[in-house]
Amino acid sequence: MPGGIRRTFGVPELDEDSRKEALADPGPAWKDWFYFEFLKVWILLALLIVDVLLVASWLDPPDVVAMALSLGAALYLEYLLYQYLWHRPHPEREPREFQRNLLHPVRYGRWTPEMWRFKAGLDPLAGLQSGPDPREFL
C-alpha cells in the first residue's frame, strides 16, 4: 500500500522505513499538547458555558442594561485570561519593545512555547514561524 502502511485485520502496521521516520520525529510531547492545544479548547468551552449562564441569569426578570454590562465585563475578563495563557507574538511586530496595555497584558502567554523557551533562557522567537514565504508561490 502507498506510504509504507500495511493493514493486518484492520490495524495499520508500519514498515521499517516508516517506523524509523516516526521514531525520528515523534511530534509534540504530551505535556506540550496538553497545555498548547487540549486545555485551550476545554477552557474556552467552559467560558462559553459561563457566558450562557450569565445571560440566562438576567433573563428571568429581564434587565437588558445589567445583562449587557455584566456580559461585557465577563467577555473582557475572559479575553484577558486567554491573553495571559495563550498570547503568541506576531512574527513581524515582535522585535520592537513590548509595552503592556489593556489589550495585551503579557508579552508571551503562560502556556505557549515562547514562554517556556524564555523561562529556559533561550531565544523565545527562535521557533516562531510567520507562515509560508509568499515568494515561493510566484
Side-chain angles (χ1 to χ4, degrees):
M1 294 192 94
I5 297 177
R6 182 181 55 182
R7 294 200 175 266
T8 307
F9 300 110
V11 179
E13 288 185 16
L14 300 175
D15 62 3
E16 284 301 315
D17 294 335
S18 299
R19 189 179 311 246
K20 287 178 184 177
E21 288 176 22
L23 288 174
D25 184 22
W30 280 98
K31 182 179 177 182
D32 298 344
W33 172 80
F34 183 75
Y35 284 113
F36 301 161
E37 301 296 326
F38 180 79
L39 280 182
K40 187 185 296 187
V41 172
W42 290 103
I43 288 177
L44 291 178
L45 181 63
L47 293 176
L48 178 66
I49 291 171
V50 167
D51 291 341
V52 169
L53 291 175
L54 186 66
V55 169
S57 70
W58 288 106
L59 288 180
D60 188 20
D63 190 359
V64 177
V65 174
M67 178 175 43
L69 290 175
S70 61
L71 185 62
L75 288 173
Y76 177 68
L77 291 175
E78 292 164 2
Y79 174 78
L80 287 180
L81 175 68
Y82 184 84
Q83 290 291 312
Y84 176 73
L85 294 176
W86 293 293
H87 173 69
R88 298 189 73 184
H90 193 273
E92 282 83 26
R93 288 184 249 151
E94 187 53 33
R96 65 185 166 97
E97 189 65 31
F98 174 75
Q99 293 181 351
R100 287 191 173 136
N101 55 32
L102 293 175
L103 293 178
H104 300 290
V106 293
R107 185 173 194 156
Y108 309 113
R110 185 169 184 84
W111 291 343
T112 60
E114 290 83 14
M115 177 56 98
W116 290 9
R117 279 191 229 108
F118 180 73
K119 284 183 178 180
L122 304 172
D123 180 21
L125 302 177
L128 192 63
Q129 297 175 355
S130 63
D133 185 7
R135 295 174 291 179
E136 293 178 359
F137 298 102
L138 296 178

